Amino acid sequence: MLELGLRLRGWLLLLWIAAALPAFAQRLPQPSTRAPGDDSARVDLAVSAWSRADLESWWAALRQHGITGGDHLPLPPGLVPPEDATAWRPVAMPDVRARPGAAMVTDTRGYEMRWYRVYVPPGSDEPQALYLPRLVTLSAAVLVRTEQGWQVLLDNQNAEREQWVQPLWLPLPGNATGLELVVALPVPAGSYHAVSRIWVGPRDSLEKRWLWRVRAQTGLPQAVSLTLVVLGVFAVMLWVRRPDEAIYGLFALGAAAWLVRNLHYYVSLPASQAGQDWFWWATHASMGWVMLTALLFVLRFTEKRVVWLERSLIGSVLLVSVVSMPMWLRQLDMVVLQYGVTAAIAGLGTAWVGWLAWKSRCTEMRIMALALAIGVVLGAHDLAVLAGWAWPEHFFLMPVATLVVMLSFLHAIQRRYVGTVEQVQAQNSQLQEDLDEQISVLQVQNAQLREAERQQALLLERQRIMADMHDGLGSSLLSALVAVEQGNMSHEKVVEVLRECVDDLRLVIDSLEPVGHDLVSLLATMRYRLGKRLQTGGLKLEWDVQDLPPLAWLEPPDALHVLRLMQEALNNVLKHAGASRVRLVTRHHGSYVEIRVEDDGAGFDLQTIQHGRGLKSQIKRAQRLGGKLRIDSSPGMGTRLSLRLPVERRGQA
C-alpha cells in the first residue's frame, strides 16, 4: 500500500505540473512594465467599408506588387489607409469581437478593412521587428509609408491557412526607426475577429518570444499528433494480435480522430467552398470522437461495463456530428454550438467516470479520471478562446490536455501489461520446473546422439579413405608386387612406382589437413610435396598463382579430388609430354575459379587420341566437384589442362 500511495502521489504531481505549464506559458509581457522594447505598441484604428469586389482588387494588387515590385502600391484612395486624421482613433488592444452566436455571418453584409497603425520608435540602432502573437482574420498585410506612397512589407495570402495558429513575425528592413506602419486586416462585416497586442521593437528580444510562441502554438500540436499516430499504429498492431482487448482499438481510434482534428496543420484547404465546409466540419466534429474514445477507454477498466452510459455517449456524439453537418441549419454558426455541446457531454461523462473511479478504488482509473478532468478544464478554456469570450491572446491548450490524458492512458496500459505478465509468470512457474526436468533428459539424449553421430562420421571417413587407398595406393602396390614377383619390372620402374605410391599417400594425408576452404593453400601444399619429383624429372615449375576466394564447399573429399586431378596432370607431363617447363596458373572469373596446367611438350592430336581410363577418371572427378575439365593440345604446341570450379555450389555433382 505504501508503494501504491507513493506511485499515486508521483503521478498526481506529474499531472499537476503538466496542467500548470500552460498557465505559465500564457503570460505575455504586460504594458505596465514600460521597459523600452518590451511594451506593446500604441495602436490607432481606422475602419473602411468594402465590398467583395474591393477585397478581391486589394488581394490582386498585393499579388501583382509582389511579382512586379515597385516603390509604392498602385491603388485608388479608397483601398489604401485613410489620409484623413479624423478617421483614426486610439484602440485598446487586444481588439476582439465575439462570435455572433446563433446567426451565421455571410458575404451579403460586406467586409471591413481594419487598419491598425503603429509607429516604430525613433533613435534606436538595433534591427527592428513587428510581432503579433494571435490573429484571427482574413489574410493580413503590412504596409509602410514612404515618400512615394504606401509600400508592402508583408502579404500573408499564401499563409492565410495557418494564420490563426501561426503568430505574425516581420523583421523590418534596414534602419526602420521612426517609420509609420499599418497592419491591414480584412474581416467580414459584423463577424468574429481577434487581434492581439502588436509589438514593435528590437528584433532579438521579440524573436525569442515569437519562436517560443511558434513552438507552443504550432510545434506542440504537431508533435502530439505525430506521437499519437505512432502510438496508434502500434495499438492497431496489438489489437490485430489481441482482438479481445478493446482498449487497443479504442486508443487507435482516438489517435486517428485526433489526427483528423489537426489536419489543418498538415494539408491545404480544399479549393471549393463546399469542400472547405466539409473539411472544417470533419476537424471540428472529430473533437467529439476524441472525447468519446477517451471516455470509452476509461470505462473499459471498470469491473462491470456500464452499457447504458457507453450507448448514451455514442448516441450523443453521433447526434452532434450529424446535426452539425453542412447540409442543414446553414444559417447558424455551428462551431460554438458544436463545441459547447461536446464540452457539456465531456463534463457529464467525466463526472460519471470520476464517480466510478472513486467507487472502484482502481488507481489507474482514478489517474485517468483526473486527467480527463484536466482535459475538460482546458477544453473549456479553448472554447472561451474560440468563441472570443475570454483570453483573446491565449493559444489553444487541448494539445496539452491530450498529452496529459495520453500519459495517463499509457500508465494504465503499462500497469495492465505488468499485471498480465506477473500472472503469466505465476502460471508458468510449475511449467518451468517440468521444462527443466525435460531439458535434463534431452541433454543426456543429445549427448548420446552427438557421440553416435561422431562415431558414424569417423566410420564414414575411414571407409572413404580405405576405399580411396584401395583403388589408388593399394592397386598400385599390388600391381608392382605382382610385376616384381614375376620379374617383369626393372629396379628403376619399381622405384618409380613406389615413389608414385608415396606421393599418392601424401595426397591423401594432405587432403585431410584443414585448409579453411582455401584452394591456394591446398595447391601450395601439393607444390611442396611434388616439387622435388618434378625437379628430378627435369621439369621447371612456373608458379603463376593468384589469390582466389574461399570455396565454402571445399571439404576433405573434394580437396582429394582436386589434388588427384592436379597430380594426374603433372604425372602426364612427366611421363608423356617430353616437356622442359610446366606452368601452374590460377584465376578468378567471377562465378568460377580456374586452375590451368600448361606445358611446352610435344602435345597431341585430340581427334586421334583415344580416351583412356586416366582421362575418363579426370572428367568424372571434375563432375563430382561440380566443375568442368577441358584439355587443349596440338602436336608440337604443348598441352593445356583447364579445371573450372564454381565459387558457390548448390549441390554435389
Side-chain angles (χ1 to χ4, degrees):
M1 289 300 294
L2 179 59
E3 180 183 356
L4 181 61
L6 291 175
R7 185 181 292 113
L8 177 59
R9 285 195 292 271
W11 276 102
L12 290 176
L13 179 60
L14 176 62
L15 293 175
W16 179 85
I17 293 174
L21 282 176
F24 296 106
Q26 300 286 14
R27 294 183 60 191
L28 293 173
Q30 299 299 320
S32 59
T33 60
R34 311 309 299 174
D38 197 41
D39 293 333
S40 60
R42 293 182 175 85
V43 181
D44 295 327
L45 172 66
V47 180
S48 300
W50 281 8
S51 64
R52 181 69 186 185
D54 293 334
L55 185 60
E56 294 292 344
S57 299
W58 162 260
W59 283 335
L62 292 180
R63 292 192 295 269
Q64 183 65 27
H65 186 270
I67 297 173
T68 61
D71 55 3
H72 70 284
L73 184 63
L75 281 174
L79 298 183
V80 294
E83 296 292 337
D84 187 1
T86 60
W88 298 89
R89 59 179 177 82
V91 61
M93 303 298 287
D95 181 20
V96 180
R97 180 184 295 149
R99 290 186 179 274
M104 174 66 75
V105 177
T106 61
D107 288 349
T108 58
R109 299 182 62 177
Y111 292 85
E112 294 178 353
M113 172 55 79
R114 304 181 69 81
W115 312 96
Y116 294 87
R117 184 175 64 184
V118 296
Y119 292 94
V120 182
S124 176
D125 296 332
E126 298 182 67
Q128 303 291 300
L130 181 143
Y131 167 54
L132 208 158
R134 184 165 183 265
L135 185 60
V136 184
T137 63
L138 301 180
S139 63
V142 180
L143 312 179
V144 60
R145 184 190 291 274
T146 65
E147 295 180 357
Q148 292 78 20
W150 290 101
Q151 179 76 21
V152 180
L153 295 181
L154 173 68
D155 176 16
N156 210 38
Q157 292 184 63
N158 293 332
E160 181 180 2
R161 178 175 67 90
E162 298 90 0
Q163 182 174 281
W164 67 284
V165 292
Q166 188 73 25
L168 196 66
W169 169 253
L170 176 63
L172 299 178
N175 186 6
T177 59
L179 293 182
E180 177 184 351
L181 302 178
V182 170
V183 181
L185 302 175
V187 297
S191 72
Y192 162 72
H193 67 264
V195 183
S196 68
R197 286 173 288 177
I198 302 175
W199 302 81
V200 176
R203 184 184 304 178
D204 292 340
S205 61
L206 291 181
E207 187 173 15
K208 295 177 182 178
R209 302 177 189 175
W210 170 69
L211 289 174
W212 186 93
R213 182 90 180 196
V214 168
R215 296 187 185 104
Q217 187 165 303
T218 305
L220 179 61
Q222 292 176 341
V224 172
S225 297
L226 294 177
T227 302
L228 279 178
V229 167
V230 174
L231 293 175
V233 172
F234 182 67
V236 168
M237 297 170 61
L238 292 176
W239 191 26
V240 171
R241 297 289 300 273
R242 300 287 302 275
D244 54 319
E245 293 285 351
I247 58 173
Y248 300 130
L250 291 171
F251 191 96
L253 291 175
W258 182 252
L259 179 63
V260 174
R261 172 68 186 88
N262 292 282
L263 276 179
H264 50 273
Y265 287 108
Y266 310 103
V267 301
S268 300
L269 293 176
S272 64
Q273 184 60 44
Q276 292 186 25
D277 291 341
W278 282 103
F279 178 87
W280 287 117
W281 168 82
T283 58
H284 294 321
S286 59
M287 193 65 238
W289 294 97
V290 172
M291 176 271 300
L292 174 64
T293 53
L295 290 173
L296 293 179
F297 182 94
V298 179
L299 289 174
R300 289 289 175 169
F301 284 81
T302 57
E303 296 179 358
K304 184 178 181 181
R305 289 184 58 184
V306 188
V307 179
W308 68 268
L309 180 58
E310 295 180 5
R311 292 179 178 177
S312 300
L313 292 172
I314 295 173
S316 301
V317 174
L318 182 62
L319 179 63
V320 173
S321 300
V322 172
V323 170
S324 61
M325 286 182 176
M327 300 173 59
W328 37 71
L329 302 177
R330 300 182 63 88
Q331 71 279 10
L332 299 179
D333 183 4
M334 297 298 298
V335 176
V336 175
L337 179 61
Q338 188 178 26
Y339 278 101
V341 175
T342 300
I345 297 174
L348 293 175
T350 301
W352 191 272
V353 166
W355 181 78
L356 291 176
W358 184 262
K359 183 180 178 181
S360 66
R361 299 183 180 276
C362 175
T363 304
E364 290 78 17
M365 194 171 178
R366 289 183 178 184
I367 293 176
M368 289 188 291
L370 177 60
L372 289 177
I374 294 174
V376 170
V377 173
L378 298 184
H381 165 274
D382 286 1
L383 177 60
V385 174
L386 177 69
W389 298 337
W391 306 302
E393 293 186 332
H394 286 197
F395 54 82
F396 296 110
L397 298 179
M398 278 310 297
V400 178
T402 304
L403 186 61
V404 173
V405 174
M406 179 185 67
L407 289 174
S408 69
F409 286 2
L410 291 177
H411 172 259
I413 293 176
Q414 181 262 344
R415 290 305 305 162
R416 171 171 286 195
Y417 173 78
V418 171
T420 303
V421 170
E422 292 175 351
Q423 182 179 3
V424 170
Q425 289 176 346
Q427 293 175 350
N428 288 341
S429 59
Q430 183 61 42
L431 292 177
Q432 185 63 44
E433 294 179 2
D434 297 340
L435 181 61
D436 292 339
E437 182 179 352
Q438 292 297 324
I439 288 176
S440 300
V441 175
L442 288 176
Q443 286 176 344
V444 174
Q445 294 177 351
N446 287 336
Q448 296 173 350
L449 180 61
R450 286 194 298 269
E451 179 63 22
E453 290 176 347
R454 190 180 70 84
Q455 294 295 335
Q456 180 68 17
L458 290 175
L459 177 60
L460 292 176
E461 189 64 16
R462 289 193 190 101
Q463 291 175 349
R464 182 188 69 80
I465 295 174
M466 290 175 62
D468 194 82
M469 293 183 67
H470 178 271
D471 295 339
L473 179 63
S475 178
S476 299
L477 288 174
L478 182 61
S479 299
L481 178 62
V482 172
V484 170
E485 288 177 345
Q486 295 177 356
N488 296 331
M489 183 176 293
S490 64
H491 175 74
E492 291 78 7
K493 188 65 176 179
V494 171
V495 172
E496 181 182 355
V497 170
L498 292 177
R499 183 178 290 113
E500 290 179 358
C501 291
V502 171
D503 290 340
D504 193 76
L505 179 60
R506 287 172 175 173
L507 286 180
V508 174
I509 295 173
D510 290 341
S511 69
L512 298 176
E513 291 291 332
V515 295
H517 310 290
D518 188 354
L519 187 58
V520 174
S521 298
L522 186 67
L523 295 176
T525 303
M526 183 193 72
R527 176 190 182 186
Y528 172 75
R529 296 294 192 190
L530 300 180
K532 185 175 181 180
R533 183 182 176 195
L534 295 176
Q535 185 178 4
T536 303
L539 274 178
K540 179 182 179 181
L541 176 62
E542 295 183 1
W543 188 257
D544 185 8
V545 174
Q546 296 182 359
D547 289 339
L548 299 177
L551 306 181
W553 50 267
L554 188 62
E555 299 294 342
D558 305 305
L560 184 58
H561 284 312
V562 174
L563 291 175
R564 287 201 182 281
L565 278 168
M566 294 299 101
Q567 181 192 33
E568 182 71 19
L570 293 175
N571 282 338
N572 288 336
V573 175
L574 276 171
K575 294 179 179 179
H576 310 297
S580 63
R581 178 179 56 84
V582 64
R583 184 165 174 255
L584 186 65
V585 183
T586 62
R587 293 291 186 268
H588 179 210
H589 299 286
S591 61
Y592 67 91
V593 297
E594 181 183 19
I595 309 174
R596 294 200 306 270
V597 179
E598 304 172 349
D599 66 72
D600 60 351
F604 57 89
D605 188 355
L606 291 172
Q607 302 297 327
T608 60
I609 191 172
Q610 295 182 355
H611 291 188
R613 289 184 57 189
L615 182 57
K616 292 180 180 179
S617 174
Q618 286 180 306
I619 294 174
K620 185 176 295 184
R621 289 184 187 276
Q623 291 175 347
R624 289 177 180 176
L625 292 170
K628 296 181 179 178
L629 184 70
R630 178 176 178 177
I631 299 177
D632 296 314
S633 182
S634 59
M637 301 300 293
T639 303
R640 184 175 68 176
L641 180 142
S642 173
L643 174 63
R644 295 183 176 183
L645 301 174
V647 176
E648 296 182 1
R649 191 176 69 182
R650 294 185 178 180
Q652 186 73 21

